[in-house]
Amino acid sequence: MKFLVGFVVASFFCVANLALAGGDEYGMMAGNGCVNCHGVEGRGTTVGNIPPLKGRSKEFLVTAMEGYKTGTLHGTVMNRVMKDFDAQKIDVLATYFSSIK
């Protein structure tokens, strides 16, 4: 019985957190790898002069990611990171980071 009550309470908190997350859980999950360098929610960092992603226009982010993917832009690791990203994942990431204010 204690297990069941604990499970119900834990489930409630998980659902409540998803509801408060703003509805873009897929974008948040897709962007998890980005936070390693660009910081939480893509806020950027002063270490290594890594730029913020949050709040940038979707068009800018798509253009930049496609540039790294095709090799028209050059970065320290971004070309390697973007090489396996498809257009759908680029769109999801651009939508997510441009929506963060």
Side-chain angles (χ1 to χ4, degrees):
M1 181 66 176
K2 288 181 183 180
F3 175 77
L4 181 60
V5 171
F7 179 75
V8 170
V9 170
S11 298
F12 170 76
F13 283 111
C14 288
V15 171
N17 282 336
L18 287 176
L20 294 173
D24 194 7
E25 296 81 25
Y26 185 64
M28 187 183 329
M29 294 302 291
N32 276 343
C34 305
V35 302
N36 291 330
C37 297
H38 290 277
V40 176
E41 293 185 333
R43 294 180 189 153
T45 141
T46 56
V47 177
N49 199 24
I50 298 170
L53 302 175
K54 76 171 197 141
R56 301 265 183 141
S57 74
K58 180 178 177 179
E59 296 76 22
F60 173 84
L61 293 170
V62 168
T63 301
M65 286 187 277
E66 287 176 348
Y68 287 121
K69 179 177 176 63
T70 62
T72 58
L73 287 177
H74 300 283
T76 55
V77 297
M78 286 302 296
N79 298 94
R80 288 176 283 173
V81 170
M82 295 306 301
K83 71 180 173 95
D84 294 325
F85 283 36
D86 61 15
Q88 181 182 5
K89 186 158 185 180
I90 288 173
D91 183 69
V92 166
L93 290 170
T95 299
Y96 171 67
F97 285 115
S98 66
S99 72
I100 300 172
K101 303 300 176 206

